[in-house]
Amino acid sequence: MSVKGAVEEAGRKADHSDLLDAGIRVGLVFYALVHLVIAWLGLQLSLGHREDRLDHHGALHELAQHAFGAAVLWLVAAGMAVLVVWRALELFVEHRDEDTWDRWGHRATAAAKGMAYALIGASAFSVVLGDSTERSGRTEETWTARLLSLPAGPWLVAGVGLGFLAYAVVMSWRGLSGRHRKHLTAEGRHGDSGTLYLLLGTIGYVAKGVAFGIVGGLFVWAASTHDPAKSGGLDQALARVLQQPAGPWLLGAISVGLGCYGLFQLARARHLSR
């Protein structure tokens, strides 16, 4: 057997291992926890009770403030690492028997999700080592300014925005079309509990799509105005929602939706289908 064949065979064995399944379940639990904390912070802000970053940075800093916070952050980082491994296996091992377009579509999705998990894991690692919210909060504006300074900078920033908008459409469509059903086993899709799980998924995916649609809109706006201060991540996007008429109600609704997404991920961890 060639080296390439041996590597592929090892990857297939790892992909079908019970140990990886267990790790994915744990990773999904902590992924859900991050979303639930973001939802809680968003609800608190919509009620005017506190001000925190409404993204994974804010959620991780919130977790760090509680008892055993450092231990939880280490577990978050470890869980995200397992999820990155899972997506890497999807990228290089799975979907080989599909049509070319389907295969590359699934690979692109796996790569995007892997990068998202890696970002959360790296953030958990930096927070537990004492990274500051203020420093991380300037990241989006800083690299947007660097992109805008390039000859084709506005087009690059607009491309980033369109990427977020495409992700938002995919997330919302996944919820509305019921495609999130495939993430649950047959047991997880049936009965009263299954109906509840799927409803949580529908609301959660649509809410996350709306949130990231606003993120994409901010980047497109920054590109059109050549102003990096108008760009931003999830935190800035939800802060803009709060500034609109009926903003607290809108932010509260999106926060509830993100909480539903977190609860669906918990159901997915219990009834994992992959």
Side-chain angles (χ1 to χ4, degrees):
M1 181 181 296
S2 66
V3 174
K4 180 180 178 181
V7 171
E8 290 179 351
E9 180 63 22
R12 281 190 289 270
K13 288 181 178 179
D15 188 41
H16 292 89
S17 71
D18 292 337
L19 182 60
L20 180 62
D21 268 1
I24 291 172
R25 292 176 193 274
V26 172
L28 288 173
V29 168
F30 286 105
Y31 186 58
L33 177 62
V34 171
H35 282 83
L36 290 172
V37 176
I38 293 173
W40 170 249
L41 294 177
L43 283 174
Q44 292 292 298
L45 183 56
S46 71
L47 296 173
H49 292 165
R50 60 189 299 170
E51 292 188 10
D52 293 280
R53 282 179 61 91
L54 300 181
D55 57 8
H56 63 267
H57 286 291
L60 294 170
H61 276 276
E62 177 68 17
L63 289 171
Q65 305 305 315
H66 296 278
F68 307 108
V72 172
L73 291 180
W74 281 115
L75 290 172
V76 170
M80 294 307 103
V82 175
L83 295 183
V84 170
V85 170
W86 171 31
R87 295 307 183 183
L89 289 171
E90 278 193 325
L91 186 61
F92 296 109
V93 176
E94 297 184 11
H95 310 300
R96 291 184 176 275
D97 298 329
E98 297 178 345
D99 293 336
T100 301
W101 287 109
D102 288 340
R103 181 169 66 251
W104 284 107
H106 283 125
R107 286 179 171 177
T109 300
K113 290 181 177 179
M115 287 188 288
Y117 297 145
L119 180 60
I120 295 175
S123 297
F125 185 73
S126 66
V127 170
V128 80
L129 293 180
D131 192 18
S132 68
T133 305
E134 291 75 20
R135 183 158 62 93
S136 63
R138 305 293 296 178
T139 302
E140 293 89 354
E141 185 177 333
T142 299
W143 70 258
T144 304
R146 291 174 179 172
L147 283 179
L148 286 173
S149 67
L150 298 174
W155 292 102
L156 294 174
V157 174
V160 172
L162 292 175
F164 276 115
L165 289 172
Y167 176 75
V169 170
V170 169
M171 291 293 288
S172 297
W173 173 247
R174 184 167 294 168
L176 293 173
S177 66
R179 291 177 66 86
H180 59 292
R181 293 172 57 91
K182 66 180 183 180
H183 295 315
L184 303 177
T185 61
E187 179 185 3
R189 296 194 300 266
H190 291 91
D192 292 339
S193 58
T195 300
L196 176 60
Y197 296 155
L198 294 176
L199 177 61
L200 289 172
T202 297
I203 297 172
Y205 276 95
V206 171
K208 194 166 182 179
V210 170
F212 277 93
I214 299 171
V215 174
L218 289 179
F219 276 100
V220 172
W221 187 17
S224 64
T225 60
H226 296 256
D227 184 358
K230 289 184 169 60
S231 68
L234 184 60
D235 176 49
Q236 290 88 338
L238 296 182
R240 294 294 177 98
V241 170
L242 190 61
Q243 297 167 6
Q244 306 308 309
W249 290 98
L250 293 172
L251 178 58
I254 293 174
S255 298
V256 169
L258 291 175
C260 290
Y261 182 83
L263 292 174
F264 178 77
Q265 296 305 315
L266 289 178
R268 186 179 179 186
R270 181 180 179 184
H271 301 284
L272 179 65
S273 175
R274 62 184 187 90

